[in-house]
Amino acid sequence: MKIDVLLGLQWGDEGKGKIVDVLSPKYDVVARFQGGPNAGHTIEFDGKKFVLHTIPSGVFNPGCLNLIGNGVIIDPLILQSEIKKLNHSGIDITKNLFISRKAHLILPTHRLVDAAQEAAKGAEKIGSTLKGIGPTYTDKSARNGIRIGDSCLDDFQKRYQTQRERHLKLVSSLGFDYTDYAIDGRDFAAYETEWFEALEGIKKLQLVDSEYFINEQLVAGKRILAEGAQGTLLDVDFGSYPFVTSSNTTAAGVCSGLGVAPGAIGKVYGIFKAYCTRVGSGPFTTELFDQEGELMRKQGNEFGSTTGRPRRCGWLDLPALRYAVMLNGVSELIMMKADVMDTFKTIKVATAYRYKGEEITHLPFDASTQNLEPVFHELKGWNTSIEQIRAEEDMPAALIDYISFIEDYVQVPVRIVSTGPDRIQLINRSV
Ligand code: IMP
């Protein structure tokens, strides 16, 4: 058996949660391999809406085991609040959620370091979700990190205090007054107390040596789906650095984030929106600052599911999509939020960039909003509601043309078209 991978091809928020939820009945295990509570995976069904930050999106399928892999970083308090919300809706995760002992902990002081470092950057800030992601991955690489398994060892308190002190010194050296700073609505002392209480609860869940767990599942012939967070253009190596997250969001991250060999990777599902969005800072070549961008934001409800921030909106960027397809070895595409384009008379897609007097179709090393200008191709909009369409043969001709244009450019078939937030709003294509 192989591990299939599902990941975002843009700057995150492509709609991965919905598709993992839809695909999960085909899988025995869903595993998160990177990122942390900076993610917000939204799933809607039966008139209910759930937003998951750390828990894999297979949790709504009772037959599915869910693994938080070693590459993920965990804030126990955020994880506990997700678990409580699921419990309130009658979903008990105690039997089907597994957590890697090697997953690193986001400490309360990582949240302060994140806020202090972002504030110190001023206008150059990354636009982080301020969930402590950068500082936690930094400590992991610098070999200062504390893993969830470490919290069960005798020297945990000592190690915690050492890191706490180090972080507080760093925060004060940046001139950041944390006594004035609220972490998710609480002052630092209250957050820290609740964090420790939550950690005790998390330690009672099923902590596993996840690299053995996942490989045993593979050997037993179980079908596994690796669920990516954020998106390819936020990858720490290949994204628009430094305006990226701190993990490998690409398919390569599956191997290190779960402990599986490259040969174990099977299908790679690449998810993209029919247009582009981005939260936070960084280059966005096809960004719109006019009424069309406003319309996309409104129709697509483009506000961050983790931070509530309005998302930047723009046309689909095909050279960037082809780059993401190349990096991930995408075998099937899934196009999300096609319905958001329902009212557009014409739709533009970038097919190249103008860069230093030349027309190019690759992303240059120093890509920035100042030196890259999109070259657009214009297509006819379908200009009708597609929210109720479920069958391929009912798709309007202009939508088929739009999809064919994308397929010709990136040379990978679009298998699923999503036409609304509910799990049933999908068109499966036979291509
Ligand atoms: P961080 O990962 O919270 O440090 O944020 C780094 C950058 O990635 C910022 O621009 C964030 O807005 C962006 N980002 C992080 N996680 C997500 C996500 O799940 N969806 C979309 N953007 C994200």
Side-chain angles (χ1 to χ4, degrees):
M1 270 292 166
K2 301 253 183 188
I3 297 193
D4 293 342
V5 180
L6 180 142
L7 40 72
L9 300 179
Q10 296 162 321
W11 285 287
D13 309 315
E14 295 91 352
K16 295 174 288 289
K18 166 174 169 172
I19 299 299
V20 175
D21 172 57
V22 166
L23 294 179
S24 70
K26 285 210 243 164
Y27 291 93
D28 303 301
V29 182
V30 175
R32 278 276 307 269
F33 58 93
Q34 48 69 232
N38 48 349
H41 292 177
T42 307
I43 292 127
E44 289 188 43
F45 57 93
D46 300 340
K48 282 184 270 179
K49 180 173 170 173
F50 297 89
V51 182
L52 298 174
H53 301 288
T54 324
I55 297 178
S57 307
V59 78
F60 301 103
N61 172 10
C64 192
L65 302 183
N66 293 274
L67 173 68
I68 299 175
N70 58 281
V72 177
I73 55 177
I74 297 175
D75 183 325
L77 194 43
I78 296 177
L79 177 54
Q80 187 201 47
S81 101
E82 282 182 72
I83 293 172
K84 275 190 188 157
K85 280 187 196 143
L86 290 172
N87 280 344
H88 281 146
S89 299
I91 297 161
D92 176 17
I93 52 78
T94 46
K95 289 206 174 59
N96 64 2
L97 180 69
F98 297 83
I99 302 172
S100 174
R101 290 195 175 90
K102 292 192 171 76
H104 278 244
L105 281 170
I106 302 175
L107 309 182
T109 43
H110 281 133
R111 302 286 303 266
L112 299 180
V113 174
D114 211 2
Q117 287 178 333
E118 274 286 83
K121 284 194 163 103
E124 305 295 305
K125 71 174 185 184
I126 307 293
S128 162
T129 59
L130 301 177
K131 299 291 174 197
I133 306 299
T136 306
Y137 277 119
T138 302
D139 276 350
K140 175 178 177 177
S141 299
R143 295 158 295 179
N144 290 319
I146 303 182
R147 300 165 299 176
I148 199 146
D150 296 323
S151 67
C152 304
L153 303 180
D154 292 340
D155 64 350
F156 171 63
Q157 273 302 334
K158 188 166 158 253
R159 289 177 62 185
Y160 177 84
Q161 291 304 332
T162 306
Q163 295 314 318
R164 182 186 195 274
E165 257 174 59
R166 198 173 59 78
H167 292 154
L168 290 181
K169 271 190 203 145
L170 175 58
V171 166
S172 88
S173 76
L174 289 166
F176 187 80
D177 180 7
Y178 71 86
T179 55
D180 256 2
Y181 182 70
I183 310 178
D184 298 343
R186 305 150 174 99
D187 67 23
F188 175 69
Y191 195 87
E192 194 179 35
T193 306
E194 284 187 53
W195 186 93
F196 271 102
E197 285 163 9
L199 179 63
E200 287 312 306
I202 302 301
K203 278 160 65 178
K204 294 195 187 102
L205 299 175
Q206 305 180 84
L207 304 186
V208 293
D209 295 324
S210 54
E211 62 278 34
Y212 285 110
F213 175 91
I214 200 96
N215 281 288
E216 281 159 14
Q217 296 286 331
L218 270 176
V219 170
K222 303 291 182 194
R223 297 154 305 168
I224 303 173
L225 181 67
E227 174 183 11
Q230 292 81 53
T232 299
L233 303 177
L234 288 170
D235 182 275
V236 67
D237 281 280
F238 301 108
S240 43
Y241 194 88
F243 301 103
V244 293
T245 191
S246 298
S247 62
N248 281 117
T249 56
T250 39
V254 176
C255 296
S256 58
L258 289 175
V260 293
I265 306 290
K267 278 188 202 164
V268 180
Y269 300 104
I271 311 256
F272 70 103
K273 278 185 206 174
Y275 51 101
C276 281
T277 64
R278 175 164 204 169
V279 246
S281 327
F284 180 176
T285 315
T286 59
E287 184 168 8
L288 288 166
F289 299 95
D290 57 10
Q291 281 178 344
E292 284 183 312
E294 202 45 60
L295 185 61
M296 280 177 197
R297 191 172 304 110
K298 189 163 157 270
Q299 300 285 105
N301 190 23
E302 295 295 358
F303 296 89
S305 45
T306 299
T307 58
R309 291 179 289 178
R311 296 179 184 141
R312 301 156 65 191
C313 297
W315 300 114
L316 187 61
D317 181 340
L318 286 179
L321 190 67
R322 189 159 64 188
Y323 178 66
V325 163
M326 171 186 84
L327 290 171
N328 293 301
V330 171
S331 45
E332 303 191 8
L333 287 167
I334 300 174
M335 185 168 90
M336 307 301 291
K337 292 188 135 178
D339 55 299
V340 172
M341 312 307 276
D342 281 357
T343 55
F344 285 80
K345 291 225 160 40
T346 54
I347 301 177
K348 287 183 190 164
V349 285
T351 52
Y353 310 120
R354 259 185 289 280
Y355 170 74
K356 297 186 179 168
E358 264 182 84
E359 197 164 298
I360 59 168
T361 55
H362 71 277
L363 277 163
F365 172 78
D366 61 346
S368 77
T369 310
Q370 286 74 42
N371 66 14
L372 271 197
E373 203 190 308
V375 176
F376 284 119
H377 176 85
E378 206 167 289
L379 291 113
K380 209 165 142 261
W382 40 96
N383 219 230
T384 178
S385 171
I386 57 170
E387 285 175 21
Q388 304 301 327
I389 297 181
R390 305 282 178 269
E392 193 181 2
E393 53 276 18
D394 297 334
M395 279 171 31
L399 174 59
I400 297 171
D401 290 347
Y402 188 61
I403 293 170
S404 303
F405 192 84
I406 297 166
E407 290 177 327
D408 284 349
Y409 194 99
V410 300
Q411 290 293 299
V412 178
V414 175
R415 293 270 186 227
I416 300 177
V417 180
S418 174
T419 58
D422 198 281
R423 28 155 103 129
I424 60 167
Q425 290 179 291
L426 286 177
I427 303 169
N428 279 294
R429 299 182 70 231
S430 52
V431 283

